[in-house]
Amino acid sequence: MTPKQSALPAIFAISFGLLVFEIMLSAIFHVQLGAGNTVAAIALALVGLSGGGIAAYSLSAFRDAERFGALAGPLLFWFSVTLLSSVYVIMAIPLGHGDLIYERTDPAIQLWRLVIYHVTVVPFFLGGLTLAAFFMREPERIGRLYFADLLGAALGCVVSPFLLSGLGAPLAVIVGAMPAAALGVGALLGARGRRAALTALPLLLATLGLLRPELLSFSTLNTMGAVEAPRYRSFTIESGDIAYERWALDAWTIIRADSIPAQWEDFRGWGLSPRYEGPIPETKLINYNARFSTYVTDRSGDPEALRAWLDADLSSVHHLIGRSYRSVLNIGAGGGRETLAALEHGAERVVAVDISEVVVEDLMKGRLLEWSGGLYVDPRVEAVADEGRSYTERTPERFDLVEFSIVGGANTEKMDLLRLDDLFTAEAIRTYLERLNEDGVFSYVMYSTRSDLVEEIWEGRRRELNPYVPALRTLTGLRRALEAKQPGIDFSDHVLIAALSGLISPHYDLVHIVASRTPFTADERERFLETCRRLAFVPLHPQGGEETHGNLYTRIAAAPDLGALASAAPFSIWPATDDRPFQFAIDTEHLGRALAEGRLFALLADNPLVTLGVGIGGLALALALAPLLLSSRRRENLRVFSANRAMLLYFACIGFAYMAVEISALLRLQFFLGRPIYGLSVGLFSFLLASGLGSNLTNRLPDARLRSAVTWIVLALVAVGLLFAAGSTALFTGAIGFPVVARIAIAIAAIFPLAFLMGMLFPIGIRMLAHRSRDPIAWAWATNGCFSVLGIFSTRILALFFGFNRVLIVGLAVYLLVILCVQLAGRGGVRAYST
């Protein structure tokens, strides 16, 4: 690996393998650790990259070009071996996401989680070590080297969705590691001594995955017991315990064999009345990521019994008030329960939209076609695999009913690194109402913290700073949207709300909100109350004079001044917005009140996103400063830091700012492009590729013009960023109805100038740093990575309170600091390259 030409394919292969590994880890950890731990694991992986940079700086072997030339081949080989072997270790660990929730006090559970984290970090550490050493060795070619780095990541990004859906996440890791393994094997075979026995390791590991796929399967699953009395337990699974499985872009989707417990045992439905005593049709539960479910109903039995069972469920309340809905848009259709209910009540056309192509195409139109009675091939049904909100924005069709039933309230797409809640933002709710006919109805079913518990929080009898209340927030959004669309209405006449308590969790209500563009008649309200009495549902609005366990829903529906009510609330009741698309977003009014009352720290500590970000961010910051704290060369490191502190700050700024701008920009693209595969393969791929091309262009810049180039690049970047911030929303909103090819072209054109300029700053900084000495290059690489981690969490936390538009401006402001860093660094003069 001594020729300079070998650095480019090696860097490409490492970056490609790590990007595929990172995306596949996101998919695997969604199943194994849950969403929050996924973010922690990926952040720790990025810290591993930075740790490799710190090691490259600290170890003398990596500062000597000749010695590193001898180490590069073995490093690449062992990188590929750890990348290949890590997936086997991770898949073998007997840990499920529920263990971390329900058995988190068990020391063994926490130990297994730490093992997973450490196994995850090792390939990133070795990859970061090798990349940093390459950058140290050839700083004069950094533009080309960084281009190879970003190109490998870009290609890994664009092929990952296809590897995932075609091979599954574990096997995709093996495929992603093969380019690095091939180069590593070649280098090791060419080295002195010909370590032929070792070179068989990558081939052996890859063959194991192909010949023994059970080694790449999860070892445990869980069951929650009955819906009415949930009780968690995990159990070991063996070959044959899963009747169907497929990795896809929306989830790891499985159907369990009858030999093991279902996720919900003795399943009767999500909201079945406790008074229902009739027959229960057979159902098949489909699991997403081992923790969410939809179900498919066997239609071969008695049609009258099936109708009675459907109508005894809380989700059918809107069908029982006397209205008919000829055209229905069902979003989050899953296994078709709501589609079936609509047909049973006379619907002539049902558009059933679900994000899972596996469920729509493979199961409902394939494997379970007969079981479901051909539901999704019924001539009255159009089943569409698409993201629900994006589909609604694009369709010109109007409906009598737009309905959601337990669609999660948050986008659970595993490729979504932001964990956004964009289905029920204020803007989304307005769109849904616009898709209704003049007398149309919007139906929404969701779990929320139990109404009486929320009442206690409201009155100060229970301390909880930010409860989970998606139904309350959606109700507020519905009221504001309907009053804006139809000024002068009395919203309380346009809404019916019922609940059923103690399902899934004893602390939750299942809440059904039915909102109509026209007022409900007295007969409809009476039918609603009679249905609640007959089926033992709790009427939250109207209450019918009966005693209930809370009236917050009525208060929101009927308050003369909704704004005053929201201001008096101890927590935010406003819906999320497209700019702050988080279920637990905190409006500035409540943030200011918490600050004035001295509760700000408690409010921040109550949010897992904040606490996780502080923990991981603190680790990243400590790592960036590690040479000053832990190294045996501390005195020398202090001298290096003192001489290069402005440039180290430069790399910290561009690391932080890159993530702030990238995440804010990709947020806009996700909604515009619709399908998550486009958001990932087009959005992130374009960002990486454009940045790589910008990096490659810097090779043409003479050394004497680097400082002035930074100033002009940053000013141009800020101008383009402000233009993007001001115009992208209008551009994307106006073009949302265009064909997908046109939208992809628009997205690339919008991203390219921004990302191109951003990609130029890292290689220019490396060249400027190398004018003084090559030694701190690896430290600068690590600092850039550490502050990228800080940028990921800071961006999310700032957006939680202030929105992504302001985060974008913050990112651009941090880029302006880069100019100051360059000016401060320039006072030290320029020296020749040194080793």
Side-chain angles (χ1 to χ4, degrees), residues 134-470:
F134 274 124
F135 295 160
M136 289 172 64
R137 191 179 70 165
E138 302 180 58
E140 67 279 2
R141 290 208 310 154
I142 186 61
R144 199 158 296 163
L145 299 181
Y146 194 51
F147 171 68
D149 179 25
L150 294 177
L151 183 63
L155 186 60
C157 175
V158 79
V159 304
S160 285
F162 305 102
L163 291 177
L164 178 63
S165 59
L167 302 175
L171 196 55
V173 174
I174 293 176
V175 172
M178 293 317 294
L183 291 175
V185 166
L188 209 61
L189 284 173
R192 187 176 301 173
R194 294 184 176 272
R195 305 174 181 89
L198 285 177
T199 59
L201 272 175
L203 181 61
L204 175 63
L205 289 167
T207 304
L208 277 174
L210 293 171
L211 298 182
R212 297 192 59 190
E214 67 273 13
L215 294 176
L216 296 175
S217 299
F218 293 106
S219 59
T220 63
L221 279 176
N222 70 285
T223 180
M224 295 298 297
V227 171
E228 301 83 0
R231 187 178 63 179
Y232 173 85
R233 65 184 175 91
S234 61
F235 55 89
T236 302
I237 56 172
E238 299 176 354
S239 178
D241 285 341
I242 297 178
Y244 170 90
E245 72 171 310
R246 181 175 167 186
W247 286 95
L249 300 177
D250 57 287
W252 179 57
T253 305
I254 65 170
I255 299 175
R256 305 184 189 198
D258 295 336
S259 58
I260 61 172
Q263 184 183 11
W264 295 99
E265 300 177 83
D266 300 319
F267 185 75
R268 296 160 49 87
W270 301 123
L272 190 64
S273 165
R275 292 182 180 170
Y276 178 76
E277 297 179 351
I280 306 293
E282 286 193 67
T283 57
K284 282 191 184 295
L285 280 169
I286 302 171
N287 284 175
Y288 306 117
N289 290 335
R291 67 184 187 277
F292 304 116
S293 294
T294 186
Y295 64 91
V296 186
T297 307
D298 180 7
R299 298 173 65 189
S300 62
D302 179 5
E304 291 299 321
L306 177 63
R307 172 77 173 265
W309 173 71
L310 288 169
D311 286 353
D313 196 286
L314 181 72
S315 299
S316 290
V317 163
H318 57 301
H319 289 299
L320 306 178
I321 60 174
R323 290 204 185 187
S324 61
Y325 314 102
R326 291 186 300 173
S327 59
V328 177
L329 174 60
N330 175 215
I331 299 175
R337 188 262 173 217
E338 280 67 45
T339 299
L340 180 57
L343 295 179
E344 289 291 327
H345 283 273
E348 298 173 2
R349 170 168 168 75
V350 179
V351 179
V353 182
D354 195 89
I355 198 170
S356 174
E357 190 169 355
V358 173
V359 171
V360 173
E361 300 295 338
D362 287 11
L363 295 176
M364 294 298 290
K365 294 181 181 180
R367 184 184 182 93
L368 300 179
L369 177 66
E370 292 187 13
W371 176 275
S372 66
L375 182 63
Y376 278 9
V377 296
D378 189 298
R380 295 168 293 176
V381 176
E382 180 185 354
V384 180
D386 203 343
E387 197 280 322
R389 180 182 173 188
S390 179
Y391 177 89
T392 308
E393 291 279 357
R394 301 194 312 270
T395 182
E397 193 172 354
R398 296 294 185 270
F399 301 90
D400 296 324
L401 172 66
V402 173
E403 62 176 339
F404 295 81
S405 185
I406 320 178
V407 189
N411 190 340
T412 56
E413 168 61 44
K414 63 175 157 291
M415 293 299 180
D416 174 17
L417 303 181
L418 300 176
R419 300 297 303 163
L420 304 178
D421 178 10
D422 56 2
L423 273 178
F424 302 112
T425 63
E427 295 87 348
I429 291 169
R430 286 200 297 268
T431 298
Y432 303 142
L433 295 182
E434 289 170 358
R435 293 297 173 267
L436 292 174
N437 292 321
E438 288 302 316
D439 59 348
V441 164
F442 175 85
S443 172
Y444 168 91
V445 182
M446 183 55 59
Y447 296 103
S448 278
T449 299
R450 217 172 62 213
S451 183
D452 60 325
L453 299 180
V454 179
E455 181 79 12
E456 291 177 9
I457 297 170
W458 193 293
E459 295 174 354
R461 292 180 286 128
R462 184 184 182 92
R463 291 190 60 82
E464 190 170 343
L465 298 172
N466 206 8
Y468 179 69
V469 287

Side-chain angles (χ1 to χ4, degrees), residues 465-787:
L465 298 172
N466 206 8
Y468 179 69
V469 287
L472 281 175
R473 290 178 178 237
T474 300
L475 179 63
T476 307
L478 282 167
R479 175 172 172 176
R480 294 182 73 183
L482 200 57
E483 289 177 342
K485 192 173 184 64
Q486 300 169 221
I489 67 169
D490 182 351
F491 178 74
S492 65
D493 292 336
H494 291 251
V495 64
L496 307 171
I497 310 169
L500 190 57
S501 295
L503 300 179
I504 307 297
S505 165
H507 303 295
Y508 280 0
D509 284 334
L510 182 62
V511 180
H512 190 170
I513 300 172
V514 186
S516 171
R517 290 194 57 182
T518 58
F520 288 109
T521 66
D523 285 346
E524 287 171 334
R525 287 195 291 271
E526 181 53 40
R527 290 190 191 98
F528 166 77
L529 292 171
E530 190 280 328
T531 297
C532 290
R533 287 191 293 267
R534 176 170 55 87
L535 297 175
F537 300 149
V538 178
L540 295 175
H541 178 82
Q543 296 177 297
E546 299 180 8
E547 292 295 328
T548 65
H549 63 271
N551 62 356
L552 290 176
Y553 293 89
T554 289
R555 227 184 292 178
I556 290 174
D561 187 342
L562 184 60
L565 180 68
S567 296
F571 52 85
S572 177
I573 61 172
W574 297 120
T577 66
D578 284 352
D579 188 40
R580 292 191 302 128
F582 298 99
Q583 182 56 240
F584 290 98
I586 303 168
D587 58 64
T588 52
E589 181 178 1
H590 285 84
L591 184 63
R593 185 188 303 174
L595 179 62
E597 296 175 356
R599 296 186 297 113
L600 181 60
F601 179 79
L603 184 65
L604 294 175
D606 189 55
N607 192 294
L609 175 61
V610 175
T611 53
L612 182 63
V614 170
I616 301 296
L619 177 61
L621 185 60
L623 184 61
L625 298 175
L628 300 178
L629 305 173
L630 304 175
S631 175
S632 59
R633 301 165 53 226
R634 188 178 306 169
R635 181 173 298 180
E636 180 184 349
N637 292 340
L638 283 170
R639 179 187 59 79
V640 172
F641 178 80
S642 178
N644 298 281
R645 57 182 180 271
M647 287 307 299
L648 290 174
L649 180 59
Y650 173 102
F651 286 98
C653 287
I654 64 173
F656 180 96
Y658 193 102
M659 296 310 303
V661 173
E662 180 187 45
I663 290 174
S664 300
L666 290 179
L667 168 69
R668 289 168 166 81
L669 287 186
Q670 176 176 292
F671 165 65
F672 176 58
L673 294 174
R675 292 286 295 170
I677 186 174
Y678 300 139
L680 178 71
S681 59
V682 173
L684 193 53
F685 170 76
S686 300
F687 231 103
L688 292 168
L689 182 61
S691 293
L693 292 172
S695 171
N696 199 45
L697 184 66
T698 62
N699 291 314
R700 302 182 180 182
L701 289 173
D703 291 345
R705 294 181 56 191
L706 293 180
R707 283 178 56 198
S708 61
V710 168
T711 300
W712 288 110
I713 290 168
V714 169
L715 292 177
L717 170 58
V718 170
V720 172
L722 290 174
L723 182 64
F724 182 87
S728 59
T729 299
L731 172 66
F732 294 158
T733 300
I736 191 68
F738 287 11
V740 66
V741 174
R743 281 183 283 134
I744 288 174
I746 291 170
I748 293 173
I751 280 180
F752 193 90
L754 195 62
F756 184 86
L757 292 166
M758 290 163 63
M760 300 177 77
L761 294 173
F762 180 85
I764 289 177
I766 292 293
R767 286 174 61 187
M768 292 175 63
L769 191 63
H771 287 159
R772 298 170 176 270
S773 171
R774 298 173 188 249
D775 287 355
I777 289 176
W779 194 352
W781 154 262
T783 300
N784 181 261
C786 288
F787 277 82

